[in-house]
Amino acid sequence: MPNEIFVIGTGRCGSTLISNILNHHPDVLSLSEFFTFVTDLGTLIPQAFPAIQINGAQFWQIVSGIYAKQNIMLAHDIAMKEVLYPFKTDVRFNASTGVPAILQTTLPHLTPKYDALFDQIHTVITARGMATAEAHYHALFGWLAAHFGKSIWVERSGGSLRVIERLYQHFPNAKFLHIVRDGRDCALSMQRHNGFKMVLLVFQITEILGIDPYESDDRSWQDDLPDELISFLPESFSGKDFLAYDVPPSLYGHYWSGEIMAGLDVLDRIPAAQQLTLQYESIPNRHPQYH
Amino acid sequence: MSEKIVITGGTGFVGTHLILELLEQSDAELFCLVRAKNTSAEQRLHQQLAEVIQGSDYAPELINQVKKRCHAIEADLQGDITSLATFIPSGVSQFWHCAASLNYEERFAAEIYDINVEGTRKALALARALNVDCLNYVSTAYVAGRNTGVILESPMAEVQSSNVYESSKVEAEQLIYAQQDMKYRIFRPSIVIGHSRTYHAINFSGMYGFLRRLIQFKGMMARVQRGYLERESIRMNVDPDVPINLVPVDKVAKQAVAIARSDSSNTIFHLTNRTVPTVGEALEVLFSTVGLPPPKIVQDTTQYAWIDEKFNEK
């Protein structure tokens, strides 16, 4: 069984840098942004970790789902720069068809033959019987590690502190590398990031409507939406308004604080031997692209 | 032969209570103009009235009077209602116009104007066609807009409205003053809240709209930073000692019907509360209701953090 490592953080904390460094290690399989997209930017966390046993086909639906939020961003040309799949040119999956979660970044990060790998995984996973999500995830990551001849896999998703409770529950023996960056810098960096903007917009709309508008058609409380949020409902989405909408850094600051506090609560329960905290600022020769 | 009354907005917050008061205080037959939604107009009207009877302190037997004396006529104020005169028996003495849009967001401006102003114009036309003696119009104390000081029970002249809802109600009142075909009474309730004893309410307008937004704001912040709002008070720049006029819906209905049954001439009535809390007291209760500490009152907005600005922008 391969060694299991999660790189976790608040998002915009420098974990991508770590992921890219680790990708060069001959023994490491770098799984990038897997849980970002499988949870549709962290908004469908319970759905990605079902409490009941599911079969391989159902698990495949989770990892290969074409999720609404990440794909509306592709359709309106406001995709996060982490998306590696060539959705503007590929004929199989593109902005019109939507791109499966595992293909947005994770597979193109591993190989240029991502479409073929996608089909191989499909065959392997759908052949599986009933099992817990935990068993399916172990099987998937283990198969990928074996496929690439690696003895360690490292999963890293931006803002994964939000899912650390589930990660620890499903991977109790994994090691957790926590990257911490000054909250003010994270907040400013989040402000320039379309993914975090999308998440905070969805939070606001969901609280007003009482439902996630990307997962439900119920618009009973639509009249409560302030004018400035109407453009971010899926049926009236405007990429132009999205780019023009300014989420103040203070809200990202609150978000960073909330993630850190909730994440540290879980890290407190993880044995010291299974965790390491690194400060982003202490990593030498940081490349400007990660600022 | 019993009196006949026509009423619009009979499924609304004030409208339902007016109907129940009319049933209690008179033996009139009521013809209610109601939109059909998922159910027929009659079913919708009777279901809504049944809910209000249950939530208020009316005798449960009043539902029998509803079934006997409340007739629903399917109508939509945004469509043609004048032609409905043919479905209503002659001899209507009073017309109650309660239907209104309570939205105020700018994007609803056309709809608000259509319902509140054009709807009132159509209601007047229908009342005229029915040859009614008197039109009772449920307006709002918010026609005063940003005016301060003593607001008289007289037509609003120069008003600076805060939003399209307020300006639409001012314009609707003006349509009523301008007509000379029938007597009129204009009722201006202040902030209508739930039943005085049971606290029952059926919508999220007015104070309940504020409460709902408070819950939404708390929920949004819980998603962003759980527990923050429970620890840190929101700052508000308000005068905590100013009275806020909240009036229970049953009191509004009782007073309005009692006035309408008197021999009053063309008049405007402020249906407000003599005993009112202060803004500070009301805010403390509302915040505590949703599990938040009371807001911190500040002297000016320069003391606002971002979160205070975000909260107070509504």
Side-chain angles (χ1 to χ4, degrees), chain A residues 55-130:
Chain A
N55 63 31
Q58 290 168 313
F59 181 67
W60 179 246
Q61 286 301 311
I62 293 173
V63 298
S64 70
I66 292 179
Y67 293 105
K69 297 173 198 91
Q70 57 198 255
N71 280 298
I72 207 164
M73 296 181 76
L74 305 189
H76 289 271
D77 205 14
I78 50 168
M80 299 187 296
K81 64 183 185 338
E82 288 83 351
V83 174
L84 298 179
Y85 194 86
F87 63 92
K88 291 182 182 175
T89 55
D90 201 286
V91 291
R92 184 175 183 189
F93 298 111
N94 48 54
S96 300
T97 63
V99 176
I102 197 172
L103 265 175
Q104 296 255 356
T105 299
T106 311
L107 299 189
H109 179 71
L110 292 174
T111 171
K113 296 177 180 173
Y114 40 79
D115 276 331
L117 181 58
F118 179 77
D119 293 334
Q120 281 179 283
I121 300 171
H122 172 234
T123 306
V124 170
I125 294 299
T126 52
R128 289 176 53 79
M130 295 295 284

Side-chain angles (χ1 to χ4, degrees), chain A:
Chain A
M1 194 167 114
N3 286 311
E4 308 167 343
I5 298 174
F6 287 101
V7 178
I8 52 168
T10 55
R12 314 311 296 155
C13 61
S15 63
T16 306
L17 170 64
I18 301 295
S19 188
N20 287 346
I21 292 170
L22 290 171
N23 207 18
H24 292 287
H25 192 289
D27 296 333
V28 170
L29 179 77
S30 173
L31 300 170
S32 187
E33 306 289 2
F34 178 83
F35 285 109
T36 297
F37 291 111
V38 164
T39 61
D40 204 8
L41 315 183
T43 63
L44 299 178
I45 294 171
Q47 292 87 335
F49 297 94
I52 54 166
Q53 292 206 345
I54 54 175
N55 63 31
Q58 290 168 313
F59 181 67
W60 179 246
Q61 286 301 311
I62 293 173
V63 298
S64 70
I66 292 179
Y67 293 105
K69 297 173 198 91
Q70 57 198 255
N71 280 298
I72 207 164
M73 296 181 76
L74 305 189
H76 289 271
D77 205 14
I78 50 168
M80 299 187 296
K81 64 183 185 338
E82 288 83 351
V83 174
L84 298 179
Y85 194 86
F87 63 92
K88 291 182 182 175
T89 55
D90 201 286
V91 291
R92 184 175 183 189
F93 298 111
N94 48 54
S96 300
T97 63
V99 176
I102 197 172
L103 265 175
Q104 296 255 356
T105 299
T106 311
L107 299 189
H109 179 71
L110 292 174
T111 171
K113 296 177 180 173
Y114 40 79
D115 276 331
L117 181 58
F118 179 77
D119 293 334
Q120 281 179 283
I121 300 171
H122 172 234
T123 306
V124 170
I125 294 299
T126 52
R128 289 176 53 79
M130 295 295 284
T132 60
E134 177 181 342
H136 285 304
Y137 279 125
H138 277 96
L140 171 61
F141 295 168
W143 184 89
L144 280 167
H147 179 79
F148 285 97
K150 311 286 186 179
S151 57
I152 303 167
W153 59 250
V154 179
E155 198 284 334
R156 183 215 58 87
S157 292
S160 55
L161 269 181
R162 183 155 283 257
V163 287
I164 188 176
E165 179 85 58
R166 310 273 180 168
L167 296 180
Y168 183 47
Q169 187 187 341
H170 287 74
F171 301 90
N173 299 314
K175 291 182 175 166
F176 294 86
L177 175 58
H178 181 201
I179 310 294
V180 181
R181 183 184 184 190
D182 187 305
R184 293 162 294 187
D185 292 332
C186 283
L188 290 170
S189 183
M190 285 175 186
Q191 197 187 20
R192 298 189 292 269
H193 192 275
N194 286 351
F196 285 94
K197 185 193 276 191
M198 186 71 179
V199 169
L200 291 187
L201 285 169
V202 170
F203 282 175
Q204 291 183 62
I205 297 173
T206 299
E207 280 306 320
I208 293 170
L209 297 185
I211 46 92
D212 178 344
Y214 288 82
E215 298 298 320
S216 166
D217 294 332
D218 184 354
R219 297 289 182 270
S220 307
W221 295 101
Q222 187 170 329
D223 286 0
D224 274 11
L225 276 184
D227 292 342
E228 70 266 21
L229 292 181
I230 293 289
S231 298
F232 311 121
L233 290 171
E235 61 270 27
S236 49
F237 197 92
S238 160
K240 189 174 156 218
D241 290 352
F242 181 91
L243 292 173
Y245 189 83
D246 187 29
V247 179
S250 304
L251 183 57
Y252 293 110
H254 282 290
Y255 180 82
W256 181 88
S257 300
E259 294 300 283
I260 283 283
M261 289 170 73
L264 289 180
D265 277 348
V266 180
L267 281 169
D268 273 351
R269 286 185 268 125
I270 298 176
Q274 282 178 246
Q275 60 171 294
L276 175 69
T277 297
L278 273 185
Q279 193 177 350
Y280 170 76
E281 288 78 3
S282 69
I283 301 170
N285 298 321
R286 302 184 305 275
H287 189 280
Q289 91 173 77
Y290 300 109
H291 285 257

Side-chain angles (χ1 to χ4, degrees), chain B residues 114-272:
Chain B
D114 201 26
I115 295 172
N116 294 358
V117 181
E118 291 308 313
T120 299
R121 201 187 303 276
K122 291 173 191 172
L124 277 167
L126 177 58
R128 207 173 284 124
L130 291 168
N131 203 24
V132 304
D133 301 328
C134 182
L135 181 115
N136 301 295
Y137 175 57
V138 178
S139 183
T140 171
Y142 277 92
V143 289
R146 294 177 192 273
N147 288 11
T148 57
V150 175
I151 308 295
L152 299 174
E153 290 175 324
S154 57
M156 296 309 299
E158 289 179 13
V159 184
Q160 196 191 350
S161 299
S162 302
N163 54 50
V164 63
Y165 167 73
E166 291 180 3
S167 57
S168 73
K169 296 297 273 188
V170 171
E171 210 170 315
E173 281 196 1
Q174 283 163 351
L175 290 176
I176 292 166
Y177 314 140
Q179 64 78 37
Q180 293 180 339
D181 301 312
M182 65 201 94
K183 253 173 57 172
Y184 70 82
R185 299 183 195 93
I186 292 175
F187 298 106
R188 291 179 182 160
S190 54
I191 301 170
V192 182
I193 58 171
H195 193 275
S196 59
R197 283 179 295 277
T198 66
Y199 311 129
H200 182 259
I202 59 168
N203 71 6
F204 279 100
S205 63
M207 186 191 74
Y208 301 107
F210 177 82
L211 194 62
R212 182 168 160 74
R213 286 177 192 279
L214 194 55
I215 292 167
Q216 290 165 352
F217 192 75
K218 181 187 173 196
M220 195 272 285
M221 279 309 294
R223 285 175 184 271
V224 174
Q225 187 178 4
R226 184 169 295 282
Y228 179 81
L229 282 184
E230 286 79 356
R231 293 192 304 272
E232 302 286 334
S233 290
I234 291 171
R235 293 180 186 83
M236 293 183 80
N237 174 226
V238 292
D239 183 345
D241 300 322
V242 166
I244 181 166
N245 206 294
L246 308 171
V247 60
V249 65
D250 54 311
K251 301 289 184 192
V252 169
K254 257 188 211 323
Q255 288 174 21
V257 170
I259 291 166
R261 299 198 66 72
S262 70
D263 190 24
S264 58
S265 56
N266 287 355
T267 325
I268 294 166
F269 298 90
H270 286 176
L271 302 182
T272 54

